[in-house]
Amino acid sequence: MRIATWNVNSITARLPRLLAWLESTGTDVLCIQETKCAAEQFPAEALRELGYESAVNATGRWNGVAIVSRAGLSDVVTGLPDGPEYDAVQEPRAISATCGPVRVWSVYVPNGREVEHEHYAYKLRWLEALRKAVAADAAGALPFAVLGDFNVAPTDEDVWDPALFEGATHVTPAERAALAALREEGLSDVMPRPLKYDHPYTFWDYRELRFPKNKGMRIDLTYGNAPFTAAVKDSYVDREERKGKGASDHAPVVVDLDLDL
């Protein structure tokens, strides 16, 4: 079974690449972030033609998450129970579903903007709500994982130059502590292998030629419970999909599991 996560940075802009990637890789379940569309604009029919069902949490121009699966799709939960609001709304940043033998969450953690910004405090509240929301699934017997764009680099090794991020979001002790609290619910970081260079970055800003210079960050993560991690055969960052015209600024992260569909 092949599961992946990918911040596509607009599913409308990335649809041809997304469909071609799904077809060429044989991915069974894909967790998608930053759809940047309303739910009724999500390309469910195009995905259905490839054999994928879709579960979507999206409300408009910004944010948006989805799970697409050809391994089954049931018990869908949209949003975080008791999740925090920003600007008086609960943003579409989380969705979960059971896909064949596994249960997954697709999450798009708030960016945080700046440490003194109210969005940063919102980010920390959101991560705490996520911890509470996944606790039961994490403790269950079913293989389970939270996948997505966490907008946090877990360690200094996950940033191309930690000194440049001093005092900025994505690397603060509070954000990393929130990730540690999430792992304490019985989840482990499934570390992917890089297809090039020494460290598996997953995001490279469009500016300043950061991708060809490999000035990246590892912020797209897979956190799995014990039954999930026991089934992992391989994991890698598909860096090739970050190349070329029309690419997202994130690369897909793929996890292969020794599980029967």
Side-chain angles (χ1 to χ4, degrees):
M1 184 177 191
R2 175 164 285 178
I3 297 177
T5 182
W6 190 4
N7 179 325
V8 295
N9 191 7
S10 173
I11 197 165
T12 302
R14 237 60 66 187
L15 184 58
R17 292 185 70 130
L18 171 64
L19 296 175
W21 186 83
L22 284 171
E23 198 162 21
S24 66
T25 61
T27 298
D28 298 300
V29 178
L30 176 63
C31 295
I32 301 172
Q33 300 85 43
E34 210 170 351
T35 61
K36 290 184 175 178
C37 70
E40 59 270 20
Q41 298 169 319
F42 189 84
E45 184 56 38
L47 288 157
R48 190 177 295 113
E49 291 176 3
L50 286 184
Y52 292 89
E53 299 176 82
S54 302
V56 183
N57 183 12
T59 56
R61 184 179 177 187
W62 306 115
N63 308 316
V65 290
I67 299 170
V68 301
S69 171
R70 63 178 190 180
L73 192 64
S74 61
D75 302 322
V76 174
V77 176
T78 301
L80 291 181
D82 301 317
E85 295 183 344
Y86 191 75
D87 286 343
V89 297
Q90 185 175 146
E91 296 177 316
R93 293 183 174 274
I95 191 167
S96 61
T98 300
C99 304
V102 304
R103 183 157 183 82
V104 297
W105 280 76
S106 176
V107 300
Y108 180 36
V109 176
N111 177 281
R113 301 180 187 172
E114 298 174 353
V115 173
E116 301 302 324
H117 199 285
E118 62 180 315
H119 205 261
Y120 176 79
Y122 163 62
K123 179 179 190 175
L124 297 179
R125 293 195 304 272
W126 199 95
L127 283 165
E128 173 60 13
L130 176 66
R131 182 191 67 79
K132 293 177 180 178
V134 306
D137 284 334
L142 200 68
F144 167 74
V146 188
L147 307 96
D149 178 359
F150 282 75
N151 271 314
V152 183
T155 72
D156 282 352
E157 289 186 350
D158 297 310
V159 182
W160 67 274
D161 187 349
L164 293 179
F165 288 83
E166 188 173 346
T169 61
H170 291 57
V171 300
T172 64
E175 291 167 288
R176 289 176 172 173
L179 284 190
L182 182 62
R183 293 192 298 269
E184 287 170 3
E185 294 297 334
L187 301 174
S188 299
D189 189 348
V190 178
M191 176 68 76
R193 58 184 174 88
L195 294 185
K196 188 177 182 180
Y197 301 111
D198 295 331
H199 200 76
Y201 297 141
T202 65
F203 165 81
W204 302 259
D205 198 296
Y206 288 127
R207 299 169 295 179
E208 301 174 353
L209 299 175
R210 288 193 179 176
F211 177 66
K213 294 177 181 178
N214 198 39
K215 294 180 177 181
M217 305 175 72
R218 187 175 76 96
I219 57 176
D220 302 88
L221 311 173
T222 301
Y223 279 0
N225 69 357
F228 185 94
T229 57
V232 173
K233 295 193 301 181
D234 191 16
S235 182
Y236 62 92
V237 179
D238 190 350
R239 193 178 183 277
E240 295 299 305
E241 195 53 40
R242 177 60 177 80
K243 295 180 178 179
K245 185 177 180 180
S248 171
D249 45 2
H250 296 250
V253 181
V254 179
V255 182
D256 288 334
L257 301 170
D258 189 13
L259 293 173
D260 295 327
L261 295 179

